[in-house]
Amino acid sequence: MRYSLFSVLGQALRGQRDWTPQWRDAAPKAEYDVIIVGGGGHGLATAYYLAKEHGLTNVAVLEKSHIGSGNVGRNTTIVRSNYGLPGNIPFYEQSMKLWEGLEQDINYNAMVSQRGVLNLYHTDAQRDSYARRGNAMRMAGIDSELLDREGVRAMVQFIDFDNARFPVKGGLLQRRGGTVRHDAVAWGYARAASDRGVDIVQNCAVTGIRRENGRVTGVETSRGFIGAKKVGLSVAGSSSLLASMVDMRLPIESHVLQAFVSEGVKPLIDCVMTFGAGHFYVSQSDKGGLVFGGDIDGYNSYASRGNLHTIEDVMEGGMALWPGLGRLRLLRHWGGIMDMSMDGSPIIDRTDIGGLYLNAGWCYGGFKATPAAGFCFAHTIARDEPHPDSAAFRLDRFATGHVIDEKGMGAQPNLH
Amino acid sequence: MAEHATLWRPRGAWDLYAQAGRHGRREGPAGVTVTPREGLALMSVTAVDGAEDRLAAAIRDRLSLSLPEPGAALFSGETGLIWSGPGQWLALAPARGDLDGLGAAVTALAAVADQSDGRAVLRLSGPDARRVLEKGVSVDLHPRRFGPGRTAVTSVAHIGVQLWQRDDGPTYEIAVARSFAGSLWSWLEEAAAEFGCEMRAGG
Amino acid sequence: MLDRTPDFPSPVREVGPSQKFRTATGGLIDRRRARDFTFDGRTLTGYHGDTLASALLVNGVRLVGRSFKYHRPRGILSAGSEEPNALVELRSGSRREPNTRATMAELYEGLEATSQNRWPSLSMDALSVNALLSPIFAAGFYYKTFMWPASLWEKLYEPMIRRAAGLGRAADAPDPDTYEHAHAHCDVLVIGGGPAGLSAALTAGRSGARVILVDEDFCLGGRLLAERREIDGVSGPEWVEQAVAELKNLPEVRLLSRTTLFGVYDHGAYGAVERVSDHVAVPAPHAPRQRLWRIVAKRAVLAAGAIERPHVFGGNDRPGVMLAGAVRTYLNRYGVLPGEAPAVFTSSDDGWRTVADIAAAGGRVAAVVDSRLDVPVPLRRMAEAAGAQVVAGGQVIGTRGHLALSGIDVRDSYGSTLRIACDTLAMANGWNPVVHLDSHLSRRPVWDEAIHGFVPGQLPTGMVAAGAASGRLTLSDALESGARLGAEAAESCDFRATATATPRTDPESTAHTPLWRVAKPKGKAFVDFQNDVAASDVELAHREGFRAVELLKRYTTLGMATDQGKTSNLAGLSIMAELTGQKIPAVGTTVFRPPFTPVAIGAFAGHHRGKEFRATRHVPSHAWCLENNAQFLETGLWLRPAYFPRAGETDWLQTVVREVETVRGKVGLCDVSTFGKIDIQGRDALAFIERVCANPFGTLKVGRSRYALLLREDGFVLDDGTVSRLADSHFVMTASTANAARVMQHLEFCRQWLWPALDVQMVSVSEQWAQYAVAGPRARDVLRRIVDPGFDLSNEAFPFLGAAEITVGGGIPARLFRISFSGELAYEIAVPAGYGDAAWRAILQAGLPYGICPYGAEALSVMRIEKGHAAGAEINGQTTARDLALGGMLAKKKDYVGRLMKERPALTDPDRPILVGFRPVDPSQRLRAGAHFLAVGAEPSLAADEGTMTSVAYSPSLKHWIGLGLIRRGHERHGERVRAYDPVRGGDVEVEIGAAAFVDPAGERMHG
Amino acid sequence: MRIRCPYCGERDNGEFSYLGDAAPVRPDGMEASAEAMHDYVYLRDNRAGEIRELWYHGAGCRAWLVVTRDTRTHAIGEVAPARDIAKARAVTPAGSASHA
């Protein structure tokens, strides 16, 4: 049923009786043109754009659990396109543009909220490197503003300007950045893809990838073999495990990143704000909880939980920046498994195996990329060539040296 | 040169931060007594691979101490040898210059480097000394696990420290890189406040 | 049993006013100490030992808050930390604590509480109109609407939703209280101080094991304080008192009450928060508000008890509807009568205890509704004796009243509806073991058919569960399992422990037939009270395909409120199980995340806030700098003097220009102690340095220094510094201030892991030496007055890049290096850091005749830019040696870290930006770092981007701004003009490319 | 997480910094190929299960350690000084060199 004022009010009067499942919980068919492994945000978006942009509807999304059970439902909901390197800039801006039209496109309110993303700086050197990034954005036609201290004060009066260990000197602001209701992205894409004929197959774990003559022919799953002409892997933290099924080693490590939410309170902060002298970033959800995060725990992990040391580090950053947080309470913290790549940037590419495609290496930034990752991955699969916006995200860039290292930390995933 | 001689006096590592006198709770006896240990001779001793036995002999000759095992600190009077890492020790003596010649005594057996000015050292004693340290030190300081003659390299309030226990009073000594002295003191002053803290003049 | 920690001074007052519902005697409150408090501005009185909740109830206050979505009136459901409804703002101003559970807030004199999420007042809440619109506001409603037109989301819909959402208001100023951390280690950690926990602590503690017992309550005893029970002939509270007294006498037992064990982490690490001062108005002097404990335990006994389940029926959220166990807690522990006409709705035998307790207190019971048809005859007789109407096989289907309960609608076993007047309804629907903590390490609980609930599954290593937390719900089981498991835990830590004989307890029944939800309720039947999730929302989620438990939770927000679903998760699961025709465990379990109950963010941060967020490192000249009005800047943790303004100087640039001119014309002194200094010794020290540095060192002689370039293994530049050879096998390497720790770690990696066979001894001596640059044409003259006689400072004896161990001040060991960052004749002199202050003053005094001035990091930076030296802005982890125009020094005949990877095609592409100098074509124009280069006349675009300006300075030597930057093929383009485009600061300056070295490119000065 | 440093005893993981999988061995010397170096620097097995990994006890004794840890459960097995393991590794080629 299409969502409209009419249908919503109508159902209110009818006790919400006529709503039907938002997506078909399909049983797998014997064969598909394309199988997307991974029913997270990226996988569902890929399926949607395969159907919408490329007319491919004989498509299945295979999910080992239920859709949206991975990072799309565990992140801190931030979207932005404030990158500084040419390999990243057009891709994330494409993503931002897709966010801006998403709800009308898929008829689902994912609460895309362009409340602004403010990166604070604390030294002259940091200001200049933010300016460098802001200028790169402006040259690509993306909004960005360099604020001085007074400019920041006008936006966020409550942070510590006066007694801080690292006083705030200003910030880089992208007003078009903001937040999106994360779960709704998965649900909305699932519904829209399902409406276009895509099979969404839950509780279907891929256990092997079958090849013949250097080409994929399908996947072994917990629900039997499923044939496919093309297979796209979109499994975030599990990428290396899937790749190992075809004897591929990836420039990726899986790390745990924790996220945090406070008890709900009346509106406190209107934008997304990042601390430039510690690991802390924060926004407030529509429900009133402060959603915040910091650095990854720093060690390889497939257990979606972290340890106390990192939690304290994040809270210290929070208190240093915003001393009024002291009496607010942490409600919940959890961990997700991040596919940390060797240069901190993602991979959307073909592989050496015919018909096998890879979408991975998103580090802790995959959520904001969801629409463009789906869009570009769908293009790569359908056309068998990279989309211009994701052309830099090649798997062979580590061999050629075309690394995209925004932080300049080198081949050390836990430092990105 | 003579007119300059008066200028060349060393400055205590704690001078700028820790004022002598009572800090925190004023009522009753102080729970913690803190004494800055100024003017110590400190030297790091790093063994040459395979020369540990000969180094131990040379050290025994020079300092009358054997080489402590990991986690141990041995003292003979006020002169000590404190394990500080695999194959590495911190030699300590009460006065600057006391360890002069140690390098020559262990030539080819160990690399030595003067650290007399690199570390700022405090002595902590009093009935609540352990409770104060437990606020910052994550190592178990219970007498069953840590006592006189034990040392730990660890951190307090994000500051790297080396800690060792002198007696079961208990008396502890804590060494911190000199540039961090001010920050360590501000942690200590806050942690000790509820017990009352007596800061002695340097010694 | 009341806490014996000193109460904050307050007057002892015998009797307060009102307290209408207080029992005549009994309870664990101190009737001699009255406590005045305010709720929504109204002054009320309770006693010491009350919670805010018991004090409100005793004064007849039922309506405490408004619900999250529908703003329905809500009261007090529970008597513990599971409370979903009675959340208040406690205290005010900078100490305001929103969402505080009234059930956990200890009453103190002057306590100030305010209801939240209502406007203009609690009883007249405008947004209660939402309740009328509830047919629209079903689960997931937001996802289907507010899309037309799209532009109105941020402007209208979202601000409206945000204002309505949230609960309390956060404090409006920085938190004035302090927090601290503490570490504790033990053999046995006991979580929970009820009968099981106390028994465990006793047996473990008696063995001599180190025991820590934590309990979130301010009194130990758990449900023994709340029930009328006997143990070995004494009352529950008396037994607790004896146990606590014994535990307090065991030297290795630490009791932490008011302490919530909030998280279980890997390998026996636990987080707990102690509310040190929350029971007083303001923390005592020198006391923190809260203390965060990091506990490391070899074994843990989880004795956290169980939480009672509500029934799901129409209007079950009406103020006055309470958990039966809570009703007994208020009655027995706090001496609070459950209204004037209480009724009981039970599905278990223990619900009937409520009737017995009310009767014992002299109260009357209006009715008992038991959903089971077969009610034991003695229970029925007991209730009838208390005046109760008994309805067996009945169900409460709806409630009456507006802001408080006035009656219930009961469907009896024949299907008829009865109306019963009552002002309290006690619900008893069985108990859920507290399985939260054991699921923090991703362990899933398992279904136990005997108690119709989840019990711990495989527990984290070293943890066992005792008593109700393990699903053993009787008191005798709690005492037995606690004592046994406490003893076993101690035994496994090598102590000899014995579990004593289990004490005798009065008989009890756990018979229970759960009633997951009432059929055909009248009105909304709530599952999750706080988030306003009703049974109908679970049905809708089912209808729309959100059937997996995580999807159900996220779509409806079930279990996501501040109580984390402690009273609601199982009810939600059971309804989904019914709808999908599955058994409850087949639907799944939600993973409980830490913390167990919400923890103040300030407690996690502890000492580390404000200026103490991170340590501050001071340079050896810091005291002098403070005395002389130095302005500082941050580099990592270091506070470095940036410049030294003099009287009459009005802006920083004026000062910096004067400092640079003094160095270039006379002599200056700069504290460069912040550089890392690594002492490297050993037979293979030189071989080691060759492998970690990209430039050759084979020819470095004793007494000489050389520039050192370190790469990462991926071929990019890691850092640069110098290596000086002090003796044949003794070197000292410097690293930049920002990278010192990382370089040390890297070198240790190379020494220990890559090339362990090399004979190298390495130690940081960064802190041992104060190191000062003495730079300028008169530097040698100044140093002649500092260096002890006998050392020849002449250019011939100690040329550029010389290094020597010398003495100063009459025998103080020192090191002298002839290295120059400024491009002038310069030395760096290192003295033991204790003499750093003295040396600084001595050099300034010695330099007086030559016009010396101290200069800071800003002037140092200006001079290095004038000289074209790369620093942090250029060595940013994205640049290669070739990019920095240092390609020529790369060694060709040795292996070193980064050798191979730097040759990758993209890294040797001649089109890569390379370091050159820039000057404004119009010399009056200012340059800014961060600007991008564009061809003159080009439209700004990514494709047109040719590189970036990395560092800029006003050059006092050239009298205009200069810059360093990386631009494509820059070395081939000297003389060419490009734009330095800086739209974020409105800059667009035409600049000319030139050599990076602006001053003395031949380096004659520093060699002089 | 608690890591048993063979020198310092059990410490909180906050005292350590992490490098990653200890399996890749640096291709040393002038003969090493760029391809082998690429694999060493960039490619990882990233196994879900027990792996041997490098940790640095930076806030303690400054020893590099090889920690055997399960990436699914965080359970830690053996912890050994990296230098000892590296020396044993170095002995293998040296052993063959002893014939020369």
Side-chain angles (χ1 to χ4, degrees), chain A residues 240 249 254 300-302 307, chain D residues 1 18 45-46 69 71 74:
Chain A
S240 298
R249 295 171 80 216
S254 293
N300 284 21
S301 176
Y302 286 93
N307 275 288
Chain D
M1 200 150 68
Y18 183 78
D45 288 337
N46 193 25
R69 194 176 59 96
T71 56
H74 298 170

Side-chain angles (χ1 to χ4, degrees), chain B residues 136-167:
Chain B
V137 177
S138 65
V139 174
D140 190 357
L141 298 179
H142 189 275
R144 289 177 188 170
R145 300 297 303 276
F146 197 91
R150 300 302 301 168
T151 184
V153 189
T154 182
S155 60
V156 167
H158 304 319
I159 300 166
V161 298
Q162 178 146 20
L163 173 80
W164 57 90
Q165 190 171 339
R166 291 300 307 270
D167 60 39

Side-chain angles (χ1 to χ4, degrees), chain A residues 41-84:
Chain A
H42 284 210
L44 294 164
T46 305
Y48 171 69
Y49 292 115
L50 278 171
K52 177 177 181 238
E53 301 292 329
H54 306 280
L56 289 168
T57 54
N58 186 24
V59 172
V61 176
L62 307 186
E63 166 55 47
K64 69 178 171 188
S65 172
H66 52 86
I67 63 161
S69 55
N71 294 341
V72 72
R74 292 168 196 257
N75 61 79
T76 43
T77 79
I78 298 165
V79 300
R80 57 185 172 90
S81 58
N82 57 359
Y83 283 75

Side-chain angles (χ1 to χ4, degrees), chain C residues 266-267 294 713 752-753, chain D residues 12 26 28-29 64 74 89:
Chain C
D266 285 310
H267 311 139
R294 296 183 67 161
E713 195 68 277
Q752 297 179 36
W753 181 246
Chain D
D12 184 82
R26 183 181 193 271
D28 259 356
W64 278 91
H74 298 170
R89 178 188 68 207

Side-chain angles (χ1 to χ4, degrees), chain A residues 55-319:
Chain A
L56 289 168
T57 54
N58 186 24
V59 172
V61 176
L62 307 186
E63 166 55 47
K64 69 178 171 188
S65 172
H66 52 86
I67 63 161
S69 55
N71 294 341
V72 72
R74 292 168 196 257
N75 61 79
T76 43
T77 79
I78 298 165
V79 300
R80 57 185 172 90
S81 58
N82 57 359
Y83 283 75
L85 294 182
N88 280 326
I89 291 172
F91 174 83
Y92 286 101
E93 179 55 13
Q94 156 80 335
S95 208
M96 183 56 77
K97 290 196 175 118
L98 288 168
W99 283 123
E100 286 170 331
L102 182 73
E103 289 148 342
Q104 308 299 320
D105 186 24
I106 63 174
N107 181 233
Y108 206 88
N109 187 357
M111 306 181 198
V112 176
S113 175
Q114 294 182 285
R115 32 200 339 102
V117 171
L118 175 64
N119 302 145
L120 299 172
Y121 62 77
H122 307 264
T123 63
D124 291 353
Q126 203 171 20
R127 175 201 61 213
D128 291 342
S129 85
Y130 282 18
R132 175 184 169 179
R133 179 155 55 95
N135 285 332
M137 293 164 66
R138 291 278 279 268
M139 288 167 73
I142 303 168
D143 73 302
S144 93
E145 294 162 53
L146 193 70
L147 305 183
D148 60 11
R149 201 174 144 100
E150 293 317 306
V152 170
R153 208 189 278 274
M155 287 185 73
V156 283
Q157 300 77 29
F158 44 80
I159 62 176
D160 190 352
F161 287 94
D162 304 316
N163 185 43
R165 172 70 182 81
F166 300 103
V168 175
K169 292 200 162 182
L172 185 70
L173 172 67
Q174 186 188 17
R175 290 192 193 271
R176 285 164 63 239
T179 58
V180 178
R181 170 80 181 94
H182 56 2
D183 289 319
V185 175
W187 304 336
Y189 273 122
R191 175 169 166 270
S194 181
D195 283 354
R196 286 177 182 267
V198 169
D199 276 1
I200 291 164
V201 184
Q202 304 184 96
N203 299 308
C204 182
V206 171
T207 55
I209 298 169
R210 206 182 275 181
R211 285 175 285 175
E212 266 171 44
N213 306 322
R215 271 202 76 81
V216 293
T217 58
V219 293
E220 312 282 354
T221 78
S222 56
R223 298 173 76 167
F225 175 77
I226 308 173
K229 297 187 182 73
K230 293 180 174 180
V231 173
L233 304 181
S234 191
V235 294
S238 300
S239 295
S240 298
L241 306 181
L242 270 290
S244 74
M245 294 174 183
V246 286
D247 306 318
M248 267 170 65
R249 295 171 80 216
L250 299 178
I252 285 174
E253 290 179 3
S254 293
H255 282 257
V256 62
L257 174 71
Q258 302 194 63
F260 307 84
V261 64
S262 79
E263 294 184 343
V265 283
K266 293 295 177 191
L268 280 178
I269 175 172
D270 208 36
C271 62
V272 179
M273 178 174 67
T274 70
F275 185 28
H279 298 112
F280 180 75
Y281 56 89
V282 62
S283 64
Q284 189 168 16
S285 77
D286 285 345
K287 279 187 67 193
L290 293 183
V291 180
F292 53 104
D295 201 5
I296 56 175
D297 265 41
Y299 44 82
N300 284 21
S301 176
Y302 286 93
S304 40
R305 57 187 157 79
N307 275 288
L308 203 45
H309 170 75
T310 308
I311 301 166
E312 288 178 359
D313 182 65
V314 174
M315 305 293 157
E316 287 167 6
M319 277 298 277

